[in-house]
Amino acid sequence: MTEKDLKTLLASMTLEEKVGQLVQCNAGLFIETGADITGPEGEALPAEDLCRAMGSVLTFENAAQARALQDMHLEKDPKKIPLLLMLDVIHGMATTYPIPLAMGCGFDDDLIAECADMARKEAAAAGVHVTFNPMVDTARDARWGRILETNSEEPLVNSRMGAALVRATQRDNLADPGNIACCVKHYAAYGAGEAGRDYNGVEVSERSLRETYLPAYKACVDAGARLVMPSFNALNGIPSVANKWLMNRVLRGEWGFEGVVISDYNAVGELVAHGVARDMKDAVRLAMEAGCDIDMVVNAYYTYLPDLVRDGTVPEKALDEAVMRVLRLKNELGLFENPYHGADSEAEKRLNLCPEHREIARHAAEETAVLLKNEGILPFPKNLKSVALIGPFAAETRLNGFWSRPGVEKDTVTLPRGLLNLLPDLELTVAKGCGADLGDRDESEITAAAEAARTADAVILCLGEPENDSGEGRSRADVTLPGPQLALARAVITANPNTAVLLFNGRPLVLTELAEIAPAMLEMWYPGTEAGNAAARLLFGDANPCGRLSAGLPRATGQYPMPYNRMNTGRPKPQPDSGVFPFTSSYLDVPNLPLYSFGYGLSYTTFAYEKLELSRAEISKKDELRVTVTVRNTGKRAGKETVQLYLRDLVASVVRPVQQLIDYRKVSLAPGEAKDVIFTVTEKQLRFWNFDCEEVSEPGEFELSAGYADHLLLTRRFTLTD
Ligand code: GLC
């Protein structure tokens, strides 16, 4: 349809029909989707009325459901305006790849694009038109359960990976039934909730907001994301969905976003609980004034918006603009011509969990695992006769992480399966040893597990945090290993020191005590469908770990928030970061630095940083600075290194971080091979937000370093002149 056709359609619509385009319902109200209808939509209006009137639905699971929903609606809607079908496809549809925080450890934008492309194909076949992805809420606090959903604590990584996912998901033509529109979320700064508690208020300066929290959303908007979802939290006192500064001034004003804004689940209704709306009707007024187009689930718009327009509180012009944005999106997706878009049950059967997709998921799990410690016991030799596979996750199928689609755990390659796929003759003993639930105190099976360890050639100890203990609404005040897992580790490692620990967790955990006793630790995060195959190949050396931490791992929960790009303060703690230095910015009981820093990770080989050279000692704002980092594989086997480039602005009008990642590149190196990794630095990368909230660079001296956070190996200075 042309723009003129859309305007003609709009003109033909009644007020209720217009409002209906802004109403999103849970699909489970109309068909059996398996989703449990909880919360406000449970008190939703009569399904008959809603089905006729609504503009979109969320949360269904396959092409048959998608087609049934569309047929049901089109039969009832007098104007035959197709539904938008939306779903959270966060890290895979049927074939699940690692959680986003793991993908950030890959430091590989092409890898996330490859995974997103795979997810797009499976989701499009399932009938998805819009995915509520990417989530790019930069977070520095693992007490927040949703830290697992974002790629990194570093906004540069979130920006690059978020944009890569948008491009791989939307591609070039949304009318192509294989392509899906992206909804970037949760705008804004949802990851900075006070005390790491989900949905909690966020108080950040505009400068900090623009420097740390907004860039990744803007990168996704600039990459063409068609929808934006405001966050649940109040931002500097005003909940995002009613925050005119955030939505009208920045998103639509400064960034020129012309797409659809959709609230988060009942976020419009929650304005009453926030205390900024007297009642639901007032909440609708506030959300409309802030440019929120679609009301997800609570049907506040359906109930109150017609009257607000009739009495002039909400101008019909504002309603028309919101409706046109929704109609344009439907039109761009080609839904008026093809309301089913890509829904195709045959394609689902062909694509879901196909060997190519399993290979992509397995490769991603291998590339994003992080080797934290290895006292020479990994990789295990393949001629091992017997292995004891111990721990609460030893035979677990739920290794996919929050937002994986319901039921995918049935397809997970478990650890036992993966080990026997690789080594069919391996004698495998499996012992759970203990649970991992919060508050679990039962140590009764530890002795038997230790006995199983003692009699085996080697032990694989699978520890971590249950899949359902990180994610939305899963904040923890203490991010240590839950349950008696440390007691199990002590007993097992004492019984057999030839023990490698695998970790399955969504948030960074406190591993301080475990690191003191474990000879080897491999962080697997939630690796997804191919967990067992990836873990086996990594443990026995068919794959060489190359992940680098996307967020530092703390020594203690009390260190949070714990950004790697910290300020020096006026009383920096003397290095090395040990001992007690009262009257400095430090703790009496814990070192300042993380246990393992951002960007850290080991390999089965070793790398040496031989040179860091700059093409010039000074640059003006027009110049480019070529930076050459020479890195060599000094070990005996091939490996991949992520070369990280950090900047320090030595003197500026506001305090600047002691280290800030400004670029990264992953390179493969054969044994003995050296490579020059070339970066180009321009004045743009030297900019920051000054006290007056202007994005500026300031002349002066800068340092560029290679290495990883807190362990910068080579450093060179240069000057920005004018
Ligand atoms: C949830 C989440 C959001 C998700 C939406 C739809 O509450 O906050 O990330 O996209 O509801 O499921």
Side-chain angles (χ1 to χ4, degrees):
M1 291 173 82
T2 65
E3 179 76 2
K4 187 169 176 297
D5 296 340
L6 294 178
K7 288 201 166 123
T8 304
L9 171 60
L10 180 72
S12 75
M13 292 164 76
T14 65
L15 178 55
E16 280 70 16
E17 287 169 343
K18 290 180 183 178
V19 168
Q21 288 304 304
L22 311 186
V23 172
Q24 177 169 88
C25 299
N26 193 313
L29 283 177
F30 312 103
I31 62 168
E32 183 40 59
T33 61
D36 56 330
I37 301 295
T38 55
E41 77 280 20
E43 303 94 54
L45 293 138
E48 184 68 16
D49 298 358
L50 278 173
C51 191
R52 172 183 46 74
M54 63 192 175
S56 60
V57 293
L58 82 159
T59 310
F60 59 96
E61 291 307 326
N62 55 49
Q65 292 179 8
R67 286 175 169 268
L69 283 158
Q70 197 66 276
D71 289 342
M72 193 183 295
H73 168 74
L74 288 173
E75 188 192 320
K76 291 180 171 58
D77 177 359
K79 292 293 186 313
K80 305 297 174 206
I81 301 172
L83 288 175
L84 272 173
L85 301 181
M86 305 194 195
L87 186 64
D88 294 284
V89 184
I90 307 301
H91 49 110
M93 184 77 198
T95 312
T96 306
Y97 60 90
I99 56 172
L101 193 63
M103 295 305 290
C105 295
F107 279 90
D108 184 343
D109 308 344
D110 295 336
L111 179 67
I112 202 161
E114 183 183 36
C115 290
D117 185 63
M118 169 187 71
R120 167 186 64 78
K121 291 173 186 170
E122 293 186 1
V128 177
H129 304 158
V130 173
T131 175
F132 297 120
N133 209 21
M135 185 273 217
V136 289
D137 305 331
T138 298
R140 277 79 190 273
D141 190 333
R143 294 175 293 179
W144 188 52
R146 301 193 76 164
I147 191 171
L148 94 151
E149 289 177 56
T150 190
N151 286 129
S152 178
E153 68 162 290
E154 165 48 50
L156 172 73
V157 177
N158 287 333
S159 300
R160 284 172 49 170
M161 291 193 178
L165 188 143
V166 169
R167 289 190 293 269
T169 306
Q170 294 190 160
R171 297 199 307 167
D172 52 0
N173 168 21
L174 283 183
D176 176 336
N179 297 339
I180 292 175
C182 282
C183 175
V184 61
K185 68 187 185 184
H186 306 82
Y187 181 66
Y190 183 24
E194 196 169 87
R197 264 207 329 273
D198 209 347
Y199 316 117
N200 209 357
V202 172
E203 289 288 336
V204 286
S205 66
E206 182 183 340
R207 204 171 68 77
S208 172
L209 197 57
R210 290 182 179 279
E211 180 119 317
T212 300
Y213 296 101
L214 294 184
Y217 306 109
K218 184 176 189 303
C220 295
V221 166
D222 291 348
R226 294 301 196 277
L227 300 93
V228 169
M229 182 190 294
S231 52
F232 287 119
N233 57 280
L235 176 60
N236 296 333
I238 302 179
S240 300
V241 76
N243 195 314
K244 294 177 189 169
W245 179 86
L246 190 66
M247 303 256 274
N248 298 337
R249 160 85 185 275
V250 176
L251 179 63
R252 295 204 189 276
E254 292 178 20
W255 299 356
F257 178 67
E258 294 179 343
V260 172
V261 170
I262 179 168
S263 82
D264 202 340
Y265 215 98
N266 183 32
V268 173
E270 289 173 6
L271 293 175
V272 179
H274 274 292
V276 294
R278 277 188 308 282
D279 52 30
M280 291 290 260
K281 188 170 184 178
D282 198 26
V284 169
R285 173 183 65 81
L286 290 170
M288 280 296 289
E289 287 175 358
C292 176
D293 298 321
I294 297 179
D295 165 26
M296 184 189 287
V297 155
V298 78
N299 304 322
Y301 277 28
Y302 181 91
T303 309
Y304 301 103
L305 189 47
D307 288 348
L308 285 166
V309 174
R310 282 195 193 93
D311 70 20
T313 306
V314 173
E316 185 147 11
K317 180 173 178 293
L319 172 64
D320 288 351
E321 285 167 357
V323 175
M324 277 303 284
R325 287 191 281 264
V326 174
L327 294 177
R328 285 191 193 106
L329 177 58
K330 293 182 175 184
N331 194 41
E332 190 181 1
L333 282 158
L335 298 183
F336 289 99
E337 292 75 27
N338 172 16
Y340 302 125
H341 201 54
D344 179 341
S345 299
E346 286 313 305
E348 277 181 311
K349 289 193 194 88
R350 185 177 69 252
L351 290 167
N352 290 356
L353 296 162
C354 67
E356 295 77 16
H357 287 186
R358 279 187 175 272
E359 163 64 18
I360 290 169
R362 201 210 69 222
H363 175 64
E366 289 166 8
E367 291 283 301
T368 57
V370 184
L371 184 59
L372 299 174
K373 183 178 178 184
N374 185 22
E375 287 173 342
I377 69 163
L378 289 179
F380 284 136
K382 285 192 169 177
N383 62 0
L384 274 182
K385 201 164 160 306
S386 63
V387 163
L389 187 59
I390 295 174
F393 299 87
E396 181 58 74
T397 58
R398 289 165 300 167
L399 301 174
N400 294 293
F402 204 87
W403 293 116
S404 51
R405 298 313 316 160
V408 294
E409 63 276 6
K410 71 185 184 319
D411 305 307
T412 304
V413 177
T414 60
L415 270 293
R417 183 70 268 139
L419 288 166
L420 293 173
N421 285 345
L422 184 69
L423 303 170
D425 300 330
L426 188 65
E427 280 175 33
L428 203 53
T429 311
V430 180
K432 186 173 179 184
C434 73
D437 290 339
L438 289 168
D440 187 325
R441 299 271 181 275
D442 178 2
E443 301 192 11
S444 60
E445 294 177 45
I446 289 180
T447 305
E451 184 51 26
R454 195 180 58 77
T455 55
D457 290 346
V459 179
I460 298 169
L461 180 56
C462 303
L463 307 176
E465 183 185 55
E467 182 183 76
N468 215 30
D469 284 0
S470 58
E472 182 175 355
R474 271 73 171 183
S475 294
R476 288 179 63 195
D478 170 11
V479 293
T480 49
L481 277 172
Q485 296 186 79
L486 262 181
L488 174 66
R490 285 197 187 92
V492 163
I493 294 167
T494 304
N496 187 337
N498 194 22
T499 294
V501 174
L502 289 185
L503 288 154
F504 298 96
N505 43 289
R507 59 162 47 88
L509 293 174
V510 172
L511 304 174
T512 313
E513 292 179 84
L514 180 65
E516 284 163 7
I517 59 174
M521 294 194 300
L522 182 60
E523 176 60 80
M524 295 296 296
W525 305 105
Y526 292 128
T529 304
E530 284 290 305
N533 286 333
R537 286 167 42 84
L538 287 162
L539 286 166
F540 285 88
D542 282 19
N544 182 359
C546 59
R548 299 290 180 265
L549 286 176
S550 53
L553 301 188
R555 294 174 189 273
T557 306
Q559 290 180 292
Y560 281 121
M562 186 183 67
Y564 84 91
N565 59 332
R566 64 183 179 282
M567 303 303 165
N568 203 33
T569 78
R571 294 196 176 188
K573 180 178 182 182
Q575 294 304 320
D577 178 26
S578 57
V580 175
F581 294 88
F583 309 113
T584 62
S585 180
S586 59
Y587 302 104
L588 291 178
D589 53 352
V590 173
N592 284 7
L593 298 184
L595 180 65
Y596 298 110
S597 295
F598 172 75
Y600 167 81
L602 299 176
S603 167
Y604 291 151
T605 186
T606 50
F607 300 101
Y609 282 76
E610 296 180 337
K611 244 182 338 191
L612 188 158
E613 286 177 339
L614 309 184
S615 58
R616 39 197 313 163
E618 59 182 46
I619 60 169
S620 73
K621 294 196 174 185
K622 297 185 300 299
D623 296 327
E624 284 188 350
L625 181 64
R626 256 168 71 89
V627 183
T628 305
V629 181
T630 305
V631 60
R632 184 182 301 275
N633 178 343
T634 49
K636 296 187 174 53
R637 59 169 293 164
K640 292 178 185 174
E641 171 64 318
T642 294
V643 180
Q644 304 160 44
L645 188 64
Y646 290 86
L647 174 78
R648 182 171 187 175
D649 186 343
L650 294 171
V651 178
S653 55
V654 293
V655 293
R656 303 301 302 138
V658 297
Q659 57 198 357
Q660 180 80 40
L661 185 74
I662 60 167
D663 209 341
Y664 54 90
R665 188 96 39 77
K666 194 168 196 173
V667 291
S668 296
L669 292 166
E673 182 186 12
K675 272 183 185 169
D676 286 351
V677 178
I678 313 283
F679 297 103
T680 300
V681 174
T682 65
E683 173 268 337
K684 195 169 182 308
Q685 288 160 283
L686 312 181
R687 292 179 194 168
F688 59 91
W689 290 84
N690 69 11
F691 188 77
D692 299 321
C693 275
E694 298 151 340
E695 193 176 16
V696 299
S697 61
E698 295 175 352
E701 280 203 298
F702 295 79
E703 283 181 348
L704 282 170
S705 299
Y708 61 93
D710 310 321
H711 299 78
L712 302 178
L713 306 170
L714 298 173
T715 299
R716 291 288 178 279
R717 280 194 181 189
F718 72 95
T719 304
L720 174 68
T721 52
D722 58 1

